[in-house]
Amino acid sequence: MSLSKAEKSYIQTGLLSNPPLRGDGRTLDDFRPIALETGVAPLANGSAKLIIGQDPHGGGGGTEVLAATKLEVENVQDEGADGGRVVCSVTCSPTAYPNLSPGALDDLQYDMTTILHQTLFHPSLHPPNLGIIPGRKSWLLSLDLVILSDTGNVYDALFMAARAALWDTKVPRTRSVEYKARQSGRNAPKDPATMDVDPEEQSGFATRKLATATDFELADYWDEGEDLGGRSGWPVAITLNLVSPTHFLDASPPEDSAAPQKVLLAFSFPESSHTKLQAIRSLGSGELNVPQLKELIATGEKYAKQLFSALNSKLKEEDIRRSQKARDRFAKR
Amino acid sequence: MGSRVDLLNHAGYREDGRTQHELRDFTVDLSKHGHADGAAAVTHGLTHVLVTVFGPREAKSRAQTMHDRANLNVELTIAAFSAGERRKRSRGDKRILEMAATIKSTFEPVVQTNLYPRSQIDIFVQVLQQDGGLLQACINATTLALVNAGVPMLDFVCAVTGGVYSTSPMLDLTLLEENDVPNVTVAVMPKTGKVTLVTMETRLHVDRFEEIFRLACAAAKVLHKEMKDAVRHRTAELVSAMGAGHGAPDRENTMIMDES
């Protein structure tokens, strides 16, 4: 959205006045209402739909992001990695950016893909249960996000949707299958002494026990599988829009173009240890000095913590709602 | 896979419990979407398509403008997670381009493009879930999105897929049926009974064609009623929201009232 100088200055003056004034009457650290639903894509292993700033009267609108994860089996020998692989991709629907040319749209989605992939799939966050058979088979987790419409604050929405979809992801239970030659039985030679066979001996140097499992099968169980490991560690992001000397959250499109610089901070809040800053990115033109940045990180953490706990309680609520729904359906049979 | 599933059992039921001529659950959502001038989300059973319409507006490039009529620009995107197996199709994928071209040629004779010279109408189709009947869902959703955007059209376009299992015709095929059964997609303008699209990717016996074709045309009339109801409901909602129910009804509303 391009604004004239006068419009920009009008918005900036409003933000800097005392008390600060915004177009929709929010305070500087207010978010628009966020709507979240998990399990929206029946063919995916985990999915979520997130809308920021939907019209409260059911009229639609707002920033809308759809996220879904899919699991595929990979051979470790071919392209897979031991312990599983994860890839992330963001697709911008032309609906969300009707004024961009296809080339610009590709650039934009590449940029978003890079930020999400590097942050979410950092080795420190790698889910522990993506391996199937060590050294042979593993899961490839692909997270696809589609931006259906953008009315500001798209990065926060992307990270929240990604977190919700990953939270919702269920990894199917597997059982490894072993093929063993029959040691004794009807076919075994009656008298081993008549045949010249070396007895199999374990070498003293073989300290490594090779996995003998060759294939796997899916365990038949009532639910879709176990939760993806490390689900509480997935980060949330917060975009601080800077209009020096102050900053504000959840920018609407005109505010977005009136703020010259933004800082994107992604925090994860592991249960056991301290808060971790997973990513930091400065967007737009302008510069920041180190003391300013320190202060922004400290305030960003505070906001992210609130967002994180709100998102968590919503995700838990969704878990209950969906398991309740599944139980009801089961009871109806 | 299909050979193990009985597509039509002796009692006359299909694998999802429908009878031969039964359509799947059809839902329409015409609520506002982002900055779009008109939007429609349509589901046929588990197939889910979202279409947004922008325009008529100035074309992005001069090369696409035509001096006597508007240009229809159709862009199709298929979500990677929409099908059973994950597959990311790029914008230049042959299949996507072909489907977009089919949608465009279906709507060119219906949309009154001559009213908007030197402009462009953008139709963005986003496929969110697929379970057979993708083209029919795209066409029905596009019709509704165009109506919602207030783009003048000669008539609705209602599409439906028909197939034949040995000798018994079936309507609105799921993915499982579509893979196994010769099928044809027909798009009809229900008021005049004109047909704007007949497309087939499989081979179908010529003796069976007429039967399926007639059946699909009849089914399109049923869909037309549903679509008209959805538009009327939405318009009534908007009119009551404006508090202008007693005053002059808007243009979209009168168009529909005339029709019935």
Side-chain angles (χ1 to χ4, degrees), chain B residues 121-188:
Chain B
I121 299 170
D122 286 301
I123 299 168
F124 298 132
V125 184
Q126 174 81 51
V127 177
L128 298 172
Q129 265 176 60
Q130 10 180 353
D131 181 33
L134 187 56
L135 187 60
Q136 75 175 42
C138 291
I139 290 174
N140 293 335
T142 307
T143 304
L144 288 164
L146 284 166
V147 169
N148 200 11
V151 175
M153 294 200 288
L154 296 172
D155 197 355
F156 277 61
V157 184
C158 307
V160 75
T161 310
V164 61
Y165 178 69
S166 69
T167 57
S168 19
M170 298 198 294
L171 280 174
D172 197 6
L173 309 181
T174 61
L175 190 66
L176 192 77
E177 291 165 341
E178 217 174 50
N179 286 339
D180 255 30
V181 158
N183 58 76
V184 53
T185 302
V186 182
V188 185

Side-chain angles (χ1 to χ4, degrees), chain B residues 32-214:
Chain B
K32 187 178 174 304
H33 193 94
H35 309 288
D37 294 315
V42 160
T43 63
H44 278 278
L46 290 175
T47 304
H48 189 179
V49 176
L50 171 75
V51 176
T52 47
V53 170
F54 290 83
R57 60 180 188 178
E58 195 181 335
K60 271 180 216 160
S61 73
R62 281 293 288 280
Q64 286 170 344
T65 54
M66 284 177 282
H67 75 281
D68 58 342
R69 60 199 162 95
N71 174 35
L72 288 186
N73 172 37
V74 180
E75 278 177 41
L76 182 79
T77 1
I78 299 183
F81 49 82
S82 63
E85 230 161 77
R86 181 180 181 272
R87 180 161 183 202
K88 208 164 178 226
R89 288 179 189 270
S90 65
R91 213 185 305 279
D93 190 289
K94 285 260 165 53
R95 176 122 186 99
I96 285 182
L97 292 179
E98 188 197 345
M99 259 188 86
T102 311
I103 296 169
K104 183 178 170 170
S105 59
T106 306
F107 280 93
E108 254 167 358
V110 188
V111 176
Q112 299 189 339
T113 47
N114 55 337
L115 296 177
Y116 304 101
R118 290 183 294 282
S119 55
Q120 176 171 323
I121 299 170
D122 286 301
I123 299 168
F124 298 132
V125 184
Q126 174 81 51
V127 177
L128 298 172
Q129 265 176 60
Q130 10 180 353
D131 181 33
L134 187 56
L135 187 60
Q136 75 175 42
C138 291
I139 290 174
N140 293 335
T142 307
T143 304
L144 288 164
L146 284 166
V147 169
N148 200 11
V151 175
M153 294 200 288
L154 296 172
D155 197 355
F156 277 61
V157 184
C158 307
V160 75
T161 310
V164 61
Y165 178 69
S166 69
T167 57
S168 19
M170 298 198 294
L171 280 174
D172 197 6
L173 309 181
T174 61
L175 190 66
L176 192 77
E177 291 165 341
E178 217 174 50
N179 286 339
D180 255 30
V181 158
N183 58 76
V184 53
T185 302
V186 182
V188 185
M189 293 159 71
K191 223 167 34 167
T192 51
K194 282 183 186 160
V195 173
T196 59
L197 170 84
V198 181
T199 180
M200 206 157 62
E201 283 174 5
T202 47
R203 293 191 306 166
L204 179 64
H205 197 282
V206 71
D207 293 350
R208 297 276 151 243
F209 181 77
E210 190 185 341
E211 193 183 3
I212 296 180
F213 184 70
R214 285 190 189 287

Side-chain angles (χ1 to χ4, degrees), chain A residues 227-279:
Chain A
D227 297 329
L228 186 67
R231 75 201 296 226
S232 61
W234 299 113
V236 288
I238 199 107
T239 312
L240 300 170
N241 304 278
L242 307 181
V243 176
S244 141
T246 180
H247 61 260
F248 63 100
L249 300 181
D250 193 23
S252 63
E255 288 169 342
D256 191 65
S257 30
Q261 196 184 12
K262 296 167 202 54
V263 175
L264 177 72
L265 299 164
F267 291 96
S268 80
F269 299 90
E271 278 153 7
S272 50
S273 58
H274 291 294
T275 305
K276 282 183 189 154
L277 178 60
Q278 293 285 352

